[in-house]
Amino acid sequence: MNINIMGGGPPALIPSLESYRSPEDKWIGVDRGTAVLLERGINPYAAFGDFDSVTEEELAFIKTSIHNLRKVKPEKDETDMELALEWAVQQNPRMIRLFGATGGRIDHFLANLQLMQRYNEKQYAPELKMIDIRNTVYIKSAGTYQVKKDENKYISFLPGTSDVSGLTLKGFKYPLENRHIPKGSTLCISNELVGDYGTFSFSEGILIIIRSDD
């Protein structure tokens, strides 16, 4: 089972959802993202938020459409996305995808990125991806990984919360061998695969991988 979470980011940045609509997967709405799912013909399994970004009419429709509604007070320590993500991780899915989590307010995007980093550090964490119409973002701990060519031409590698040690890129236009990448480095922005597959590996740290089509 995968869990797809729809946040309240700009609808123009949300990709087509048809390829993610598998019968065994669950959809979760976060605040206004709940209304976005209903507008696209997807009835969420659950919804989280204070719903301060929807109209009274939209909230009434949400209440009649969703049985598992977790409405919380606006005054709280967690963001609505954090509440949904915490619940999703506890369901032990194979993967969690975040939609409507980029664009709009920069503070929300950065908070979502930090949440992904935090959950990536947990043992047995599911794979986490943040997806919009032009980008896919995911995070990896030290190890060796294969990447496959897809519609997203560019691949960028950014250090997460610390330096990255021993980064090696093979099958890329700009290869690296056992390179130390300090936090804040932009060395690995906009790389490209030269064939159908490539590999990246590193020995220490956390990498933020961004695949973009522009």
Side-chain angles (χ1 to χ4, degrees):
M1 175 189 69
N2 299 321
I3 294 180
N4 301 318
I5 301 178
M6 179 63 71
L13 295 180
I14 298 170
S16 171
L17 303 178
E18 291 305 313
S19 62
Y20 304 105
R21 297 181 67 167
S22 175
E24 66 270 17
D25 293 349
K26 292 181 179 179
W27 285 89
I28 307 299
V30 176
D31 203 80
R32 176 151 186 78
T34 309
V36 171
L37 287 176
L38 292 172
E39 290 168 1
R40 296 197 178 202
I42 298 174
N43 199 308
Y45 175 83
F48 295 79
D50 52 36
F51 296 96
D52 59 355
S53 60
V54 300
T55 65
E56 292 184 5
E57 291 78 10
E58 287 173 328
L59 181 56
F61 184 50
I62 288 171
K63 287 180 176 179
T64 59
S65 301
I66 300 173
H67 175 70
N68 193 6
L69 182 64
R70 312 287 181 92
K71 191 174 185 300
V72 296
K73 295 180 179 180
E75 299 81 14
K76 58 187 183 302
D77 294 334
E78 305 88 356
T79 64
D80 296 337
M81 179 64 78
E82 184 174 0
L83 293 173
L85 190 52
E86 177 65 28
W87 178 89
V89 169
Q90 292 176 5
Q91 310 311 304
N92 298 314
R94 292 188 302 271
M95 179 187 297
I96 298 175
R97 304 183 186 100
L98 307 183
F99 301 91
T102 63
R105 288 181 54 173
I106 294 176
D107 56 340
H108 284 183
F109 165 66
L110 292 176
N112 294 336
L113 185 60
Q114 290 185 353
L115 284 172
M116 289 178 64
Q117 292 188 69
R118 189 178 84 191
Y119 282 106
N120 179 77
E121 295 170 355
K122 293 182 178 292
Q123 192 175 21
Y124 307 119
E127 185 173 3
L128 284 159
K129 290 187 176 182
M130 188 186 305
I131 302 170
D132 68 21
I133 198 168
R134 313 205 77 161
N135 308 278
T136 297
V137 183
Y138 58 99
I139 294 174
K140 291 295 186 182
S141 300
T144 300
Y145 306 94
Q146 185 181 74
V147 290
K148 182 181 179 180
K149 181 176 287 187
D150 61 18
E151 66 276 8
N152 294 314
K153 177 180 179 180
Y154 299 106
I155 306 178
S156 297
F157 300 90
L158 296 173
T161 53
S162 62
D163 294 1
V164 168
S165 297
L167 180 60
T168 296
L169 304 178
K170 295 182 179 180
F172 287 85
K173 183 177 181 180
Y174 307 106
L176 288 179
E177 184 70 34
N178 196 30
R179 187 72 173 265
H180 178 80
I181 310 297
K183 183 179 178 182
S185 171
T186 59
L187 174 66
C188 298
I189 292 288
S190 296
N191 212 328
E192 301 174 40
L193 289 170
V194 295
D196 290 335
Y197 294 91
T199 61
F200 67 94
S201 62
F202 58 109
S203 56
E204 292 183 15
I206 294 175
L207 268 182
I208 302 170
I209 299 96
I210 305 172
R211 304 196 67 167
S212 307
D213 69 358
D214 187 19

